[in-house]
Every structure is written in structure tokens, then in C-alpha cells.
Amino acid sequence: MASNLPIPIPPRTPTPPPDDSPNTSNQSPHLHDKDSLSPLRDTFPNPRGSLDPSDANRLSPTRAGFNLSPANALQPTDQSDNGSAGPFNFKTTTMAKGPVVKSNVGQRRGHKYKHSSISHQIFLEPPPRAPLALPNSLPIPTFKEYRSSMSKDQTTRFWWSVCHMSVAAYTLWSAHGSLAMTALSHLILFDSIGALLCVAVDILGNFEVWKRSSVRHPFGLERAEVLAGFAMCVLLLFMGMDLISHSLQHFLESSGHEPHHTHVHERVSLGRVDFTALLAISSTLISAIGLKNHGRIGKAMRFGYIESLPSVLSNPSHFLTLSCSTLLLLLPLVSIKLYNWLDVLLSSTISISMCVIGVRLVKTLGSMLLMSYSGPGVSEVIRDIEADPCVYGVDDARFWQVHYGLCMANLKLRVSGTEENLVRLRERIASLIKNRLGGGYGSGGQKWEVSLQFTAEKA
């Protein structure tokens, strides 16, 4: 009986099942075959089956010879139940012909907190904000654009300022032998520079960047005029100190002190003094009336002694130049001895006045550059505001000046009363500040912008 048992077939590498099931009806039903161990016969998957030697596909890996029985080949759905199927269950897979979609699996892009389920209640998106009404910046004109924008009137005023500067040069050239004429030449030079600055400011007013506010320049470029005026005042201060040193040197020489360098002081001729004085008076009046020279500086700096004079003489710079030019007409009419003392006295008076005006202007314009207000009347305004029956107290009061034409007042008050009374109080405070500090409507004073913050107190 041992000889009748079939010899076991060595294992082979299994092959995947074909797409089409093989035809098992042609398999031989014989169980014993003497050629079962022949390498030409495919009897490993099914010992009962037999292969046709004449079959050309008998060694093809696509032949389904792995099934143990024909019934299993015909029933593929029962492979997982009876365990007669092979260890691999290969199935035909059709590849997609479309483009491959990139997958985000395995890629870490960070956690977005606002998409988290918890953060919906914690992190809220800010409400949409309206765009700023102010532009970020405005174009600054070049020199070519600046020159091309000049009108005919502005061109005439520019050339007149150049002529005014030439008058200062002529006065300095003809001032040999007179310290008073030297001082007058310094004053005319200061006036001519101011006239040129007025024309430059007028031309810059043709451009939008001069007065319109932007993020880069909140108050426009008008503060550049304050900076230029500050530089002029420093120059005036140094010119006055230089004249004082020359007067001291002349006084020491006249008292018998030997100088290091010999200075020849000759008496100036009558015709030269008269012509220079009349030329200085005429040029100063034309610049003051036609160009409004030092008009803004005169409004920023108020002198109580000359404020009641006419418009031209109320400006300290014009008053000093015109008075000095008028006194020069008296020099040729006095004797030689009196001439020397009067010349030195007049030069010292002019130089000291230049220093006083320069210090006053430097202080005023310096505080303006530091965004503060140095004008009078602030304490009286606060006292009147506190006297109102609706006001309990003034917590904070800030007064500051931006440039020559704009001042601002910010006040924080503790008040009580009805809504109608508070509206009336707001209008009263704004009118009080504009009339007291700005000079009232129509006076041409500074423009005041008033902002008030009320804190209601319980009665």
C-alpha cells in the first residue's frame, strides 16, 4: 500500500491568478499518473489534473494551476471560507488615467488657531476697518517743478527779494567810518533773507504737500517755515553779538588803548549817509507792504510797547530798521566829537536790540518746534473755564502751537448737567479760546482747534 501513495510534489513559487478562469473541464480525472513527477507536467497546484504535452502555454505563469480542486477555481468567493485558496489573492487593478492629485499626507503646515474648534470662542477676528482718509505720503516737488510752478507775480517778488539783498550789500560796502551804518546793513540783510523766505513759502503753497496732512507729514510741510525762521533768528542773534564786539573794540581804541590791528575810522560823507538811509527805508517799506515780510514772525512774537502802532511799525524788525535809518539822517548834521559818540551809541543800541529780538524769537520759535505754546493768556482762559457752574474741575489742559497759523487746545474736564447744558458749555469754551488766544475772528490771528473731553460727575 505504501507503493500506491503519491509522491509529494516539491513546493513552487505561487503565481497570481489569471484574469480569466481556466477551463477545468479538460482536466484529466485520473488520480494516479506515472508521469506526475515529470517537469513537463504542471501538476503542482492540482494533482488530479494533467497537462497536455503539446500545449505551448503549459509553463506560462498566467496558468491557473495553483487551485487544488476544480471546484475552488469555479467558486472564488469561497476562498476565504474553506481555506483552499492560495496565500495571495491578487486582483486586477485598473490604473487611473487622470493626473495624480498631490496629497498633503505627511506634510506639516502648522496649526491655524482660528480654525480650531476651541479657539472659535477665544480668538475673534477684528471687525473690518475703513481705510485711512489720509494718504501715506505726498510727493515733494523737485527744484525743476518748483521753478516751473512760479507765477508772474511770484517771479517779480523773487527778483525784488534779490534786489533787497543787494541793498544790504551796498549798505555794508558804504559803511566805512560808521558803526551805525554797519549795524544797519546787518538789519537790512536780515530783512532781505526774510523777504526771500516769504517768496519761497508762497511758491511752495502751489503744491498739495505744503498744507495737506499725510501720515508722513501730519501737518504738511508748513513746519519747515518755522525751522527756517528759527535759523534766521539764530543768525540775527549772532550778528548782534558781533556788532557788540565791534562797538567794544571801538570804545577801547577811543579811550587810548593800543589795538593789535590799526583801524582807520573816517567820517562818512553827508550824501552817502542820506542816500543809504533813504534806500534802506524804501526797501524796507516795499518788502513790508508788498511781500508781508516778517508778517508771520511778528504775529508769533508780540511786543506790548509797539503793538498799538500801525501795521508796519508794530513788527519789531520793521520798527528797528526804520527807526535806525531815520536816526542815521542826523549823523552828518552834528559835530565831529558828537558824531563819534552818537555813532557808537546808535550802533550799540541797534546791536543790543538785535540780540533782544533774536533771543525772543529763538525762544518763541523753539517752543513752537517743541510743540508747545508760549503766548500769553492761557492762565486767564483756564480761570474763566473753572468759573463756569457746570465745571467741577480741570483735570488736564494742553495748549500747543504747530506752526505760525495753527494752534491746538486739548482739555479734560469734570462736568455735570444736562445734555443741552454740556453742548452749550462746549461751544462756550471753544469760542473763549479762539477769541482770547487767537485774537478773535477776522483779526488774522492763529487758527485754534479745540478738543474737549467731559467726565460726568454725579450731582
Side-chain angles (χ1 to χ4, degrees):
M1 293 182 60
S3 61
N4 296 330
L5 292 177
I7 299 174
I9 302 173
R12 296 180 55 187
T13 302
T15 58
D19 295 339
D20 298 333
S21 299
N23 188 8
T24 57
S25 60
N26 296 331
Q27 296 181 357
S28 175
H30 298 287
L31 296 177
H32 304 284
D33 192 355
K34 62 181 180 180
D35 296 330
S36 60
L37 298 179
S38 176
L40 300 178
R41 297 181 62 89
D42 189 10
T43 57
F44 171 71
N46 189 5
R48 300 177 187 178
S50 61
L51 295 176
D52 188 3
S54 62
D55 190 2
N57 297 327
R58 63 181 181 275
L59 298 180
S60 174
T62 59
R63 292 181 60 89
F66 186 74
N67 296 334
L68 297 177
S69 61
N72 292 335
L74 296 175
Q75 298 177 0
T77 57
D78 297 334
Q79 292 178 359
S80 60
D81 296 333
N82 53 18
S84 60
F88 302 100
N89 184 16
F90 294 99
K91 295 182 180 180
T92 304
T93 303
T94 305
M95 299 298 293
K97 295 183 179 181
V100 180
V101 181
K102 183 179 180 180
S103 176
N104 292 330
V105 177
Q107 297 181 4
R108 182 179 179 87
R109 295 183 179 271
H111 183 70
K112 298 185 183 299
Y113 290 98
K114 71 175 185 178
H115 296 297
S116 175
S117 59
I118 300 177
S119 63
H120 278 301
Q121 301 176 359
I122 301 176
F123 301 99
L124 300 177
E125 294 186 4
R129 299 174 59 183
L132 293 176
L134 297 177
N136 188 21
S137 62
L138 293 173
I140 299 177
T142 60
F143 180 76
K144 184 177 180 180
E145 295 173 346
Y146 179 84
R147 188 178 59 181
S148 61
S149 66
M150 295 174 60
S151 62
K152 185 178 180 180
D153 179 63
Q154 292 172 348
T155 305
T156 304
R157 296 171 64 186
F158 170 76
W159 287 113
W160 165 249
S161 63
V162 174
C163 294
H164 196 176
M165 196 170 295
S166 63
V167 172
Y170 172 77
T171 307
L172 182 61
W173 175 76
S174 61
H176 297 288
S178 175
L179 291 176
M181 290 185 63
T182 305
L184 179 62
S185 66
H186 287 67
L187 284 177
I188 299 175
L189 177 63
F190 177 73
D191 291 341
S192 63
I193 295 176
L196 184 62
L197 178 62
C198 291
V199 176
V201 168
D202 191 17
I203 298 174
L204 284 173
N206 300 333
F207 300 93
E208 190 179 15
V209 69
W210 181 252
K211 291 186 177 182
R212 185 180 177 184
S213 301
S214 62
V215 177
R216 186 173 182 179
H217 303 285
F219 305 102
L221 289 181
E222 289 192 71
R223 283 177 60 82
E225 183 183 3
V226 182
L227 184 60
F230 182 81
M232 287 175 49
C233 298
V234 173
L235 177 62
L236 179 65
L237 179 60
F238 277 99
M239 287 191 302
M241 296 174 65
D242 180 68
L243 289 174
I244 291 177
S245 66
H246 279 286
S247 300
L248 290 176
Q249 183 180 1
H250 181 75
F251 175 76
L252 291 176
E253 291 177 2
S254 62
S255 62
H257 183 76
E258 295 183 1
H260 295 282
H261 302 281
T262 304
H263 297 275
V264 179
H265 297 281
E266 299 178 356
R267 183 174 179 178
V268 66
S269 62
L270 178 61
R272 183 182 298 178
V273 172
D274 294 340
F275 179 76
T276 304
L278 293 177
L279 191 62
I281 292 174
S282 60
S283 61
T284 302
L285 289 176
I286 293 174
S287 296
I289 298 174
L291 302 182
K292 303 296 181 182
N293 187 19
H294 302 309
R296 298 179 180 88
I297 294 180
K299 293 177 182 178
M301 181 188 60
R302 300 174 182 176
F303 282 91
Y305 301 103
I306 61 175
E307 193 173 0
S308 59
L309 296 176
S311 59
V312 176
L313 297 178
S314 61
N315 192 310
S317 299
H318 299 157
F319 178 80
L320 185 60
T321 304
L322 295 175
S323 60
C324 178
S325 302
T326 305
L327 291 175
L328 277 178
L329 297 175
L330 302 177
L331 285 180
L333 303 179
V334 298
S335 62
I336 298 176
K337 185 177 180 180
L338 186 60
Y339 167 82
N340 294 330
W341 285 100
L342 186 59
D343 185 69
V344 174
L345 179 61
L346 185 58
S347 174
S348 302
T349 304
I350 295 174
S351 58
I352 294 174
S353 302
M354 290 173 65
C355 291
V356 172
I357 295 176
V359 171
R360 183 76 174 270
L361 285 175
V362 165
K363 181 181 177 181
T364 303
L365 299 183
S367 63
M368 197 181 302
L369 289 175
L370 296 177
M371 306 290 282
S372 62
Y373 181 73
S374 60
V378 176
S379 58
E380 290 80 2
V381 169
I382 296 178
R383 192 181 304 114
D384 291 343
I385 293 174
E386 291 176 342
D388 193 277
C390 296
V391 178
Y392 275 86
V394 179
D395 293 338
D396 192 10
R398 301 295 177 91
F399 297 85
W400 45 295
Q401 188 171 1
V402 181
H403 47 77
Y404 293 118
L406 178 62
C407 300
M408 304 188 75
N410 309 106
L411 293 91
K412 184 178 181 181
L413 310 176
R414 287 181 286 108
V415 297
S416 66
T418 61
E419 187 68 25
E420 183 179 356
N421 292 335
L422 295 182
V423 172
R424 189 175 303 143
L425 176 63
R426 189 182 298 272
E427 295 177 355
R428 177 181 176 274
I429 294 176
S431 177
L432 178 64
I433 293 175
K434 292 178 181 178
N435 291 330
R436 291 283 187 87
L437 303 181
Y441 295 99
S443 62
Q446 293 90 356
K447 177 184 176 183
W448 279 87
E449 293 185 0
V450 183
S451 62
L452 303 173
Q453 181 180 354
F454 290 165
T455 301
E457 293 284 341
K458 295 182 180 181

